[in-house]
Amino acid sequence: MKNLFAFALSSLMRRGSKNLFIFVIFALMIFILASIFMITHSLKVEMFTTLEALPDITVQRVVAGKQTDIEADRSETIARIFGVSDAIPRVWGYYYFPKAGVNFSIVGVEAFGKQYKKELDMVADTYAEGLVEEDTMIVGQGVYETLKRNFFNDYFYFVKPDGELTKVTVGGVFKPATTLESNDIIVMESSLVRDIFGMEEGAATDIVVHVANPEEVATIAKKIGEHYPDTRVITKEDLRISYQNVFDYKSGIFLALFIIAIFTFFIIIYDKASGLSSEEKREIGILKALGWKIGDILNVKFFEAAVISVGAYFLAVTLALGYVFGLGAPLMRDLFMGYSVLKPPFDLPFALDGGTLALIFFTTVPVYIAATLIPSWKAATLEADEVIR
């Protein structure tokens, strides 16, 4: 068997240019497919992990079809609804930093109060003393790196709606629990956030509601909507469906790339299955004349096909891993991120879908090997002189 494998390698080398072309096309196709699957799976894992950390219900005030500030004291009325465990007003918003071309998410907290998320509780507890100091902010790692690149190492000037500047000192950097969610976050005292966004005292961006029994979320959301007709009540399930719709839309792009890759693959398969070249037939005829058995010839062809297909598969998957998780999938990631070009750059979390990689393997490698063996078997069953002619 070892000699047959060595003969297969030498046979591949004799037709080096043709086999190299097939190897490159095969590897390129698997690289594209594997990269797309890795990006989408990584983003899905990150987004749905973020979704799990969101509140059960979010209440927004809508006037003339546009979201506007809501009275923070409405949270006290909502908290008295049976089944609501707590209702917390949030003060937050996006701040565009034109020099870097990104949006920061500014989130207000009460330094010694209860926050609406566990991660914010940890940040507020850790940096409570710093937050109560005048004009101090705690930033995510992505924000900190963006500020440093623009020479704001210790402070940053925010431009308020009236054109005045507010200097805010960087009081600390926190590690995000989920990169996609927290990489762009700046945490400040709520009063400072109101000042930067020009909000009135006692106003909030929205109110988040936690429900003790998940089965009662829909009922409580309906009660809130009936009590405050000028509000838009969004449940976690609504957000999950919205996220899924985004991925379904993006999957159209994926489908186009997938069709191109599959079309290329089947051109290769068609070329292999349509018959052997005259050189390959002559080689099989000579081997038969020398006394080789059909099984030995098929073993050689199997080794040749396996070296090309399996080698191309593992090379492509290795390159895809480096491209997606090492380099951050430049260009291709933008097809799936869209709006996030306004966020600070972040690393895709390492999340592998072994089932999908196995699916790519079993829909390409065995098909290529079969397309090589079938015409070789047909030629090997003929008499030696007939094959050579």
Side-chain angles (χ1 to χ4, degrees), residues 34 138 314 387:
I138 311 301
F314 283 106
V387 178

Side-chain angles (χ1 to χ4, degrees), residues 184 311 347 378:
D184 64 333
D347 295 330
K378 288 181 179 176

Side-chain angles (χ1 to χ4, degrees), residues 348-387:
L348 288 168
F350 185 79
L352 270 185
D353 184 1
T356 303
L357 292 179
L359 177 67
I360 295 175
F361 180 88
F362 287 111
T363 54
T364 55
V365 173
V367 175
Y368 180 81
I369 292 176
T372 303
L373 288 181
I374 291 172
S376 300
W377 172 76
K378 288 181 179 176
T381 54
L382 301 175
E383 294 299 327
D385 58 339
E386 187 179 354
V387 178

Side-chain angles (χ1 to χ4, degrees), residues 253-267:
I253 299 170
F254 153 74
L255 182 62
L257 292 172
F258 180 78
I259 290 173
I260 293 171
I262 289 297
F263 182 72
T264 306
F265 174 68
F266 277 101
I267 287 177

